[in-house]
Amino acid sequence: MLELKHVWKSYRVGALGSKRLTAVRDVSIDIAPGEVLSVVGESGSGKTTIGKMVLQLTSVTKGQILLDGEDVTARGHAARKAYYRRVQGVFQDPFSSYNPIFKADRIFETVRESYFADVKRAEWTARVEDVLQGVRLDPGSVLGKYPHQLSGGQLQRMLIARALLLDIKVLVADEIISMLDASTRIDVLNLLGELKERGLGVLFITHDLSLANYISERVVIMRHGAVVESGTTGKVFTDPRHPYSRNLLASVPQLHRKWSDSEAVPEKLEADGDRDLDPAPLTEVDEGHWVAAHP
Amino acid sequence: MSAEVVLQTEPVGRRNEHLYFALRNPKVAIGLSLVLALLLLGLIGPLFLSDSPNEYVGPKSEAPSGEYWFGTTYFGQDVFTQFVHGLRSSYLVGTLGGGISFVIGLAVGFTAGYRGGLVDEVLNMITNVVLVLPALAVLIVISSYLEVRGVVTQAVIIGIFSWPWVARAVRAQTFTLANRDYVDLARLTGKRSGQIIVREIMPNMASYLLMSMILLFGGAILFAAMLDFIGLGPANAVSLGTMMQQSMAWSSLHLGLWWWFVPPGLAITLIVGALYITNVGLDEVFNPKLREM
Ligand SMILES: Nc1ncnc2c1ncn2[C@@H]1O[C@H](COP(=O)(O)OP(=O)(O)O)[C@@H](O)[C@H]1O
Ligand SMILES: [Mg+2]
């Protein structure tokens, strides 16, 4: 359904855009309906950039992004507006996603203004209450409030509800629970599971392997802007082939172990100087399990 | 119990709260009333007085009296009539000059801050050039080439030179605000850049914009008075600055004609001072930490 084909992104940095920083190198991924695809990697690995390119918030330097076989990059405002009916996003920081001087439910109002101007007020209110209940929120306790009067979990759920008003096919979820406290994280995560059941494709961006394991059937591991390993969650987590993936797995804290008992020594990896090079080629080591060449 | 109280009081808009505190802030109240009182005088005064303030209507160098409230000039012109017309042109210069620089400053600042990249670097360069241009020297050159130097021309010239600091501040704030996720969310709702700037970014800097509008207004009045005083004022109208310039040119100080130069000088000081006080008061309103306990 959603396909990224050999996508590259380089940012202009420095005075007059004199230098370039390659944030994403030759990434190809695809998401099917009813699937959660996790993109995992350390900070700076280009995960957010991928999400922003899918959401057309930043341009694609090279390559294609296809929705149902149709190239969606570099089009005009009207086409983009139509695209957002089908693809939406939720970001990391709930408090930055709301304009602090307006009431939080304004995010629904702007959707109505842009896409459903002819829907009657009463019907619209009913729809909003409907999607709010769909994300387990009590409309009475969140409508008419300012963002600072609501919790991070409530705000993130309202953003998911907003996306559902648009009848989307793909949701980009960029670290959407990393700023929530533990008790609400799992609820929001389970909500993504329900979206999957409804047939949505979810691009789940996280730096936390255990979350990827919990929610998704396929995972893509990134480093320095390139894919180092990808495949079904089961295969990648039980049989990681790339040293970076093994390091990531070893670094997940475990309930039954103290840090002092941990004897794993991280494997040596090349330093961050390879962004200007072409990424190491991927080879299929097992059915649907791809690994980048490594020393 | 307490939850109910929160429900009833909190959703009161912050705008109303600001208006409430603004009207009760003594500095804002005093400053604003002074500015408005003088504006009113400049607006309605000329309706009751002569249309030609430079006419020689009475005895020369007469002290204030019931007939000539502010006395007459060395040539027998009515100072009060001149004063009222001068007020009017000062407010005109302030509104027009301040307005022009406000619009240019906002346009440049928002475009540079929102677009970023090359557009920003070019606009930033232009801003810096205008900022370091010796405005006075340029104005002297321009003024000596312009045939008719009216109040409007003067206001336009002042407007074209005083926008850079607003543009810089707006650019800096837009940079920060444009990186907030709610701006991205507005784009995901199919909003255009213009709408996003006006509806998401601008409301967050409303207090700053209001205050810079006031400062630009006062700055333009002061700048115009200075130009008038050095003889670059409007040739076809009376302003507070040209009154000062005339009175000095005909040595009113030595002749003891204090009524000729005190009113315009006092009015300029009052307007600019009152605007400044208003601004300090507004600062207290918008930054509750500065409010007196
Ligand atoms: N707007 C930008 N301009 C320049 N460089 C950027 C920009 N956004 C991200 N980068 C750089 O691109 C790289 C990838 O960033 P990002 O996609 O945010 O990574 P992640 O989300 O995985 O932490 C980082 O090195 C970051 O500094
Ligand atoms: Mg990120």
Side-chain angles (χ1 to χ4, degrees):
Chain A
M1 178 173 50
L2 185 81
E3 237 181 310
L4 279 75
K5 281 189 170 170
H6 303 288
V7 168
W8 292 70
K9 174 71 189 182
S10 50
Y11 289 109
R12 289 170 187 278
V13 290
L16 291 166
S18 50
K19 290 192 206 114
R20 292 186 152 267
L21 185 143
T22 311
V24 171
R25 295 183 292 155
D26 200 22
V27 169
S28 300
I29 50 181
D30 64 280
I31 304 171
E35 178 187 46
V36 176
L37 175 75
S38 289
V39 175
V40 188
E42 65 198 1
S43 145
S45 56
K47 308 181 298 290
T48 296
T49 304
I50 287 187
K52 287 204 161 166
M53 282 192 290
V54 169
L55 291 171
Q56 316 245 339
L57 294 172
T58 188
S59 62
V60 173
T61 308
K62 215 162 77 183
Q64 283 182 309
I65 296 179
L66 309 172
L67 181 66
D68 293 333
E70 210 183 315
D71 194 345
V72 296
T73 51
R75 295 194 299 176
H77 178 262
R80 193 173 295 179
K81 187 171 167 181
Y83 177 71
Y84 291 143
R85 275 188 106 119
R86 297 185 288 165
V87 179
Q88 275 295 330
V90 180
F91 307 115
Q92 178 170 14
D93 182 355
F95 292 95
S96 168
S97 299
Y98 291 79
N99 203 332
I101 59 173
F102 299 113
K103 287 181 181 158
D105 52 21
R106 178 170 177 265
I107 58 164
F108 303 129
E109 200 45 42
T110 53
V111 166
R112 179 170 116 102
E113 209 179 79
S114 287
Y115 294 101
F116 303 101
D118 48 351
V119 174
K120 293 221 165 50
R121 166 82 34 202
E123 195 202 327
W124 183 253
T125 313
R127 276 196 214 180
V128 168
E129 290 181 355
D130 221 39
V131 289
L132 283 175
Q133 262 143 13
V135 297
R136 310 275 146 65
L137 282 175
D138 169 26
S141 59
V142 293
L143 293 177
K145 296 261 178 84
Y146 284 95
H148 68 269
Q149 297 171 301
L150 298 165
S151 74
Q154 286 174 315
L155 292 173
Q156 291 298 61
R157 283 170 205 233
M158 282 175 76
L159 286 169
I160 296 174
R162 167 190 169 276
L164 294 180
L165 278 171
L166 283 163
D167 220 15
I168 49 165
K169 293 179 152 188
V170 177
L171 183 74
V172 176
D174 187 352
E175 311 240 16
I176 62 168
I177 60 170
S178 65
M179 291 183 69
L180 306 184
D181 48 82
S183 57
T184 49
R185 294 178 81 166
I186 194 71
D187 296 335
V188 174
L189 204 57
N190 287 339
L191 217 57
L192 290 186
E194 284 170 34
L195 296 187
K196 172 169 80 174
E197 238 108 81
R198 288 203 208 179
L200 259 75
V202 179
L203 181 64
F204 183 68
I205 295 172
T206 181
H207 58 266
D208 191 335
L209 273 182
S210 50
L211 295 181
N213 186 29
Y214 180 79
I215 193 78
S216 57
E217 30 286 321
R218 282 196 307 135
V219 60
V220 172
I221 298 180
M222 290 187 62
R223 182 162 188 262
H224 300 170
V227 175
V228 296
E229 186 157 357
S230 77
T232 53
T233 317
K235 278 180 186 158
V236 173
F237 286 3
T238 50
D239 182 21
R241 299 293 184 91
H242 196 278
Y244 179 66
S245 315
R246 287 197 287 268
N247 283 357
L248 270 185
L249 275 171
S251 65
V252 175
Q254 274 155 14
L255 271 183
H256 57 270
R257 227 172 53 195
K258 292 262 191 208
W259 75 272
S260 48
D261 302 338
S262 150
E263 71 265 8
V265 180
E267 296 174 56
K268 277 255 184 312
L269 292 163
E270 73 272 33
D272 190 359
D274 55 354
R275 284 179 186 271
D276 295 329
L277 310 174
D278 278 352
L282 293 167
T283 43
E284 192 166 19
V285 292
D286 195 354
E287 202 198 329
H289 185 176
W290 297 75
V291 178
H294 51 276
Chain B
M1 162 76 213
S2 67
E4 270 170 23
V5 174
V6 167
L7 267 179
Q8 281 167 2
T9 55
E10 289 245 21
V12 172
R14 296 193 191 180
R15 275 157 214 282
N16 296 340
E17 180 195 321
H18 282 155
L19 196 64
Y20 177 89
F21 280 109
L23 294 178
R24 269 156 195 77
N25 182 297
K27 296 193 180 90
V28 176
I30 292 172
L32 218 52
S33 346
L34 261 174
V35 173
L36 289 179
L38 286 171
L39 171 66
L40 211 61
L41 185 58
L43 276 183
I44 58 172
L47 303 178
F48 297 99
L49 297 161
S50 159
D51 263 348
S52 35
N54 281 329
E55 233 174 350
Y56 309 113
V57 289
K60 297 177 174 185
S61 311
E62 181 117 312
S65 66
E67 194 174 352
Y68 305 106
W69 290 359
F70 285 6
T72 62
T73 70
Y74 183 71
F75 307 103
Q77 298 146 316
D78 182 27
V79 175
F80 186 66
T81 311
Q82 290 198 335
F83 176 72
V84 167
H85 278 90
L87 273 179
R88 192 181 255 200
S89 50
S90 279
Y91 275 94
L92 184 63
V93 165
T95 311
L96 209 57
I100 290 172
S101 48
F102 188 68
V103 170
I104 301 179
L106 254 58
V108 171
F110 280 128
T111 312
Y114 191 77
R115 287 259 168 265
L118 206 60
V119 176
D120 170 50
E121 303 212 25
V122 171
L123 286 177
N124 204 21
M125 212 144 66
I126 297 174
T127 309
N128 286 336
V129 167
V130 179
L131 196 66
V132 298
L133 270 185
L136 191 60
V138 175
L139 281 171
I140 291 174
V141 173
I142 293 178
S143 300
S144 45
Y145 279 106
L146 281 179
E147 293 278 314
V148 190
R149 295 202 316 262
V151 176
V152 175
T153 325
Q154 193 185 41
V156 170
I157 295 174
I158 290 174
I160 288 173
F161 280 97
S162 28
W163 56 268
W165 63 268
V166 179
R168 293 186 74 162
V170 168
R171 166 184 175 267
Q173 292 213 31
T174 308
F175 254 145
T176 343
L177 294 175
N179 281 323
R180 300 279 157 84
D181 289 339
Y182 56 77
V183 168
D184 279 342
L185 207 69
R187 291 170 71 189
L188 291 187
T189 318
K191 301 286 181 203
R192 291 175 185 276
S193 306
Q195 284 177 304
I196 293 177
I197 288 172
V198 172
R199 300 187 44 195
E200 307 286 339
I201 296 179
M202 245 159 97
N204 277 290
M205 29 201 288
S207 59
Y208 175 77
L209 294 180
L210 180 62
M211 287 166 69
S212 54
M213 203 146 64
I214 291 175
L215 288 180
L216 283 174
F217 177 74
I221 290 180
L222 207 57
F223 202 171
M226 185 186 73
L227 288 176
D228 295 348
F229 193 71
I230 60 172
L232 293 174
N236 55 2
V238 172
S239 73
L240 296 177
T242 55
M243 285 175 76
M244 297 279 287
Q245 188 252 334
Q246 285 291 311
S247 71
M248 289 303 135
W250 301 100
S251 16
S252 57
L253 204 58
H254 296 291
L255 300 175
L257 308 180
W258 55 267
W259 54 85
W260 194 358
F261 59 83
V262 168
L266 198 63
I268 293 172
T269 316
L270 272 182
I271 295 173
V272 176
L275 289 172
Y276 178 75
I277 292 173
T278 310
N279 236 16
V280 173
L282 283 178
D283 209 15
E284 289 171 7
V285 173
F286 293 127
N287 299 318
K289 280 181 211 151
L290 297 177
R291 272 180 216 155
E292 279 161 319
M293 290 291 127

